[in-house]
Amino acid sequence: TLAEYIYDDDSAEAGTDLGTGQQVALKVTPCYAPDQDTASLYQIKFYVYETGGMNPIIRVFDDNGENGMPGDQLFQTVVDINTIEEEAWNTITLDEMIDFTEGAFYISYMGLNNGIALGIDEDTVGRTYYQDGTWSYSDAGNVMFRAIMEQYGMGTDEDNDVSVAKAFSVTNYPNPFNP
């Protein structure tokens, strides 16, 4: 089963304003089922508020940095700016899924001169971190990333403040109502 982890209300009130080399990240906490201790990252969705001239860099980090901040980089891709839609969700399918067995992970965007602006949902907070030398928490709203995870069961976690809003079969993705 695929599950989409959503930490926004699907409306961007603002866009990121990052300088070259700065990063913004969303913390994702998978719900691990008692009988299945692995959740695998399959796709990353990101909402583009405004396009720019440079190809964006999207990364995934483990939460093994100091105090649970982003640590080891697990994935990086450069997205062709010509394939990006403005004011829309854009999707990256990973060549190989990334398996997680505990804790959280972060999806990040690294700012470039004349880069894209990702959507910020100012109505939801609690999951966004900025990096300009060191990582720090931001309560300005959640950056609009979503994680599509492959999971064989849905667990619960008291520290996870998101409910999995969509669960669907791989064979019917992206439309779970299409038999």
Side-chain angles (χ1 to χ4, degrees), residues 13-87:
E13 288 81 30
T16 56
D17 184 19
L18 300 178
T20 300
Q22 295 176 326
Q23 294 186 76
V24 61
L26 179 79
K27 184 177 184 176
V28 178
T29 308
C31 296
Y32 299 101
D35 59 339
Q36 291 289 328
D37 60 357
T38 302
S40 302
L41 181 61
Y42 171 67
Q43 289 179 324
I44 297 168
K45 291 172 70 174
F46 58 102
Y47 187 89
V48 175
Y49 186 76
E50 185 175 53
T51 57
M54 299 292 291
N55 295 335
I57 298 173
I58 306 293
R59 296 176 169 162
V60 175
F61 291 94
D62 201 349
D63 70 344
N64 61 355
E66 185 176 336
N67 297 317
M69 293 291 185
D72 293 337
Q73 182 177 306
L74 306 173
F75 173 80
Q76 175 177 302
T77 191
V78 177
V79 181
D80 182 352
I81 193 73
N82 297 312
T83 65
I84 293 175
E85 292 185 51
E86 187 172 270
E87 296 184 13

Side-chain angles (χ1 to χ4, degrees), residues 10-172:
D10 206 30
S11 75
E13 288 81 30
T16 56
D17 184 19
L18 300 178
T20 300
Q22 295 176 326
Q23 294 186 76
V24 61
L26 179 79
K27 184 177 184 176
V28 178
T29 308
C31 296
Y32 299 101
D35 59 339
Q36 291 289 328
D37 60 357
T38 302
S40 302
L41 181 61
Y42 171 67
Q43 289 179 324
I44 297 168
K45 291 172 70 174
F46 58 102
Y47 187 89
V48 175
Y49 186 76
E50 185 175 53
T51 57
M54 299 292 291
N55 295 335
I57 298 173
I58 306 293
R59 296 176 169 162
V60 175
F61 291 94
D62 201 349
D63 70 344
N64 61 355
E66 185 176 336
N67 297 317
M69 293 291 185
D72 293 337
Q73 182 177 306
L74 306 173
F75 173 80
Q76 175 177 302
T77 191
V78 177
V79 181
D80 182 352
I81 193 73
N82 297 312
T83 65
I84 293 175
E85 292 185 51
E86 187 172 270
E87 296 184 13
W89 287 100
N90 294 264
T91 303
I92 299 167
T93 300
L94 281 64
D95 291 333
E96 292 184 26
M97 288 191 275
I98 302 171
D99 293 334
F100 297 94
T101 57
E102 63 182 1
F105 64 92
Y106 295 83
I107 303 171
S108 83
Y109 161 64
M110 186 168 90
L112 301 168
N113 187 27
N114 193 27
I116 65 171
L118 293 181
I120 298 288
D121 178 13
E122 295 176 337
D123 298 327
T124 60
V125 296
R127 296 257 169 201
T128 297
Y129 296 79
Y130 284 92
Q131 186 264 350
D132 186 12
T134 60
W135 287 99
S136 59
Y137 170 76
S138 171
D139 62 1
N142 282 341
V143 64
M144 294 176 70
F145 278 116
R146 294 182 177 177
I148 310 296
M149 308 285 294
E150 182 176 280
Q151 297 183 256
Y152 298 100
M154 297 304 296
T156 58
D157 183 342
E158 291 177 12
D159 295 329
N160 195 359
D161 61 358
V162 68
S163 60
V164 178
K166 297 180 184 177
F168 41 86
S169 165
V170 175
T171 56
N172 290 340

